[in-house]
Amino acid sequence: MDFFRELADNKIFMTAAAGWLVAQVLKTLMHLILVREFKAERLVGSGGMPSSHSSTVCALAAAAGYEFGVGSFEFAISLLLAIVVMYDAMGVRRETGIQAKLLNDILRTFEDMGRSEISAHDKLKEFVGHTPFQVLIGAILGVFIAFLAYQVY
C-alpha cells in the first residue's frame, strides 16, 4: 500500500496523470458535441483533439521544470521525452491512421461488391495519431494543467 500512497503523493506523476485525464475527457466531450454520439472508447482511445499524449508529456515536463528547475536532468529527460512523443504522434502514428482509413475504404468497396470476408470488428483503427494542431493544443493544455497544479498546491 505504500507504493500507491507514495504515487498519489507524487506531484509530478499526478500532474501528468491529470494532463492525460483532462485531455481524454475533453476529447470525449468534443466528440459528443460534434458527432452527437457518446463513444466510451474516446475516454481511453488515442487520436483526436486534443492530443492526450502531448498533454501528458507536457504536463510532466512542465511539472519537472517547476519542481527541479529547467537546468535539472529531470526536466531535460522529461522535455526530450515530450519531444519524441509529440513527434511520433504527428509522424508515424498519424500516417498509420491515414493508411488505416484508406485500407478501410478499400475494404468497404470490396464489401459493397460482396467480395470481402472481413467483418466489422476486423477493421483497422483510424484514430491513432494527431495533426500538428491537435498536438499543439494538447501541449498547451498540459503546460496549463501543470501551471494550475503548481499554483493551487
Side-chain angles (χ1 to χ4, degrees):
M1 288 308 229
D2 286 341
F3 172 80
F4 294 110
R5 187 177 3 223
E6 287 181 28
L7 197 57
D9 289 339
N10 185 324
K11 192 171 186 179
I12 295 173
F13 174 79
M14 295 306 289
T15 300
W20 176 83
L21 181 64
V22 170
Q24 289 299 123
V25 169
L26 286 174
K27 187 184 303 187
T28 304
L29 290 173
M30 289 181 74
H31 184 82
L32 179 63
I33 291 167
L34 296 174
V35 182
R36 299 191 191 286
E37 170 192 29
F38 174 75
K39 202 168 191 180
E41 189 271 337
R42 301 307 306 143
L43 285 169
V44 293
S46 59
M49 171 69 122
S51 167
S52 58
H53 292 87
S54 297
S55 182
T56 304
V57 294
C58 285
L60 174 70
Y66 274 115
E67 193 76 29
F68 301 109
V70 295
S72 67
F73 80 93
E74 292 92 346
F75 176 74
I77 291 170
S78 299
L79 181 61
L80 289 173
L81 174 69
I83 291 168
V84 169
V85 167
M86 291 186 293
Y87 179 81
D88 183 63
M90 289 186 298
V92 175
R93 295 180 71 250
R94 182 171 181 226
E95 288 299 321
T96 301
I98 291 169
Q99 291 173 5
K101 182 170 178 11
L102 178 63
L103 289 170
N104 286 339
D105 290 345
I106 291 169
L107 288 173
R108 273 190 282 283
T109 301
F110 280 111
E111 278 180 338
D112 293 343
M113 294 171 31
R115 295 184 166 196
S116 178
E117 296 177 13
I118 297 177
S119 66
H121 73 279
D122 292 330
K123 299 282 168 56
L124 298 171
K125 190 173 177 183
E126 296 177 12
F127 285 114
V128 291
H130 298 283
T131 65
F133 184 69
Q134 292 169 338
V135 168
L136 175 65
I137 298 302
I140 292 168
L141 177 64
V143 171
F144 179 71
I145 288 169
F147 172 79
L148 285 179
Y150 278 81
Q151 298 307 307
V152 172
Y153 295 107

